[in-house]
Amino acid sequence: MTGSLIGIFLTAIFIENFVLNQILGLCPFIGVSSRTESAVGMGISVTFVMVMAGVATWGVQNLVLVPYSLEYLQTVSFILIIAALVQFVEMVIKKLAPALYKALGVFLPLITTNCAVLGVALINVRRNYGLLESSFHALGGGLGFMLALVIMSGIRERLAISEVPVAMRGAPIAFITAGLLATAFMGLSGLI
């Protein structure tokens, strides 16, 4: 059991990385990855929301939706759970770290519609994970998201002081960099 949990965790971080392999959550990935401080803050926020959403959606799925044959409400209920969690995270960050709250700007409320957060909940259900497996998958997914953000922010900070051709500045070089990162992470496929 422990080996499979570690496998689920490591696979979610490196092999099935939501951003670089499954192409989910690109909006905050490109929007917040220009500064490492913002990337770390967003990564921690998304990781927290992913873990809480993984646990909460597992409970709703297995204790409410399945027993009462309400599986058709799965997506709507999952989105409502995620929205509530994001509101909680937003209030905490606004109170405890106003500078980070301002730096994250519009991207913090956008965690509600971050398809990576909804993706982790739906993948947990599709793979029929138990509570512990769902938690490990969500934690690995969040840490993988943060890893991708931090790597990308480090590269983008370096690119900001480099001589990049005018036509490649901004989004073009960011997408090329993301593609190269995704290619590098694809090289990890089959290791676990």
Side-chain angles (χ1 to χ4, degrees):
M1 179 71 168
T2 304
S4 67
L5 291 176
I6 293 170
I8 289 170
F9 177 73
L10 293 175
T11 298
I13 294 174
F14 298 109
I15 296 167
E16 295 177 355
N17 186 290
F18 280 99
V19 176
L20 301 174
N21 183 294
Q22 298 185 42
I23 318 300
L24 296 173
L26 289 181
C27 179
F29 176 69
I30 296 298
V32 181
S33 64
S34 58
R35 290 185 39 234
T36 302
E37 180 182 296
S38 299
V40 170
M42 177 61 88
I44 291 169
S45 301
V46 169
T47 301
F48 178 78
V49 170
M50 271 191 183
V51 172
M52 293 297 110
V55 170
T57 56
W58 180 90
V60 168
Q61 175 73 15
N62 291 293
L63 302 174
V64 178
L65 299 179
V66 171
Y68 296 106
S69 300
L70 298 172
E71 292 93 343
Y72 61 91
L73 294 174
Q74 182 183 72
T75 304
V76 172
S77 61
F78 286 6
I79 290 172
L80 290 173
I81 290 166
I82 292 166
L85 289 168
V86 169
Q87 289 301 311
F88 173 72
V89 168
E90 188 174 2
M91 289 186 303
V92 169
I93 291 176
K94 188 175 185 178
K95 182 75 173 171
L96 298 178
L100 178 61
Y101 177 79
K102 189 172 182 167
L104 292 175
V106 71
F107 294 102
L108 190 57
L110 285 178
I111 295 174
T112 302
T113 58
N114 186 340
C115 52
V117 178
L118 181 59
V120 79
L122 294 174
I123 289 170
N124 287 343
V125 170
R126 187 183 76 217
R127 292 183 180 169
N128 203 22
Y129 282 161
L131 179 60
L132 205 52
E133 295 164 323
S134 294
S135 302
F136 272 77
H137 182 248
L139 179 61
L143 292 176
F145 186 85
M146 185 164 64
L147 175 67
L149 274 175
V150 170
I151 291 171
M152 184 68 164
S153 67
I155 293 170
R156 287 183 75 184
E157 284 181 353
R158 185 72 185 245
L159 286 171
I161 59 172
S162 300
E163 289 188 35
V164 177
V166 175
M168 298 300 291
R169 290 184 187 153
I173 195 70
F175 281 113
I176 290 171
T177 304
L180 292 172
L181 276 175
T183 303
F185 270 68
M186 276 196 298
L188 300 173
S189 297
L191 291 179
I192 296 177

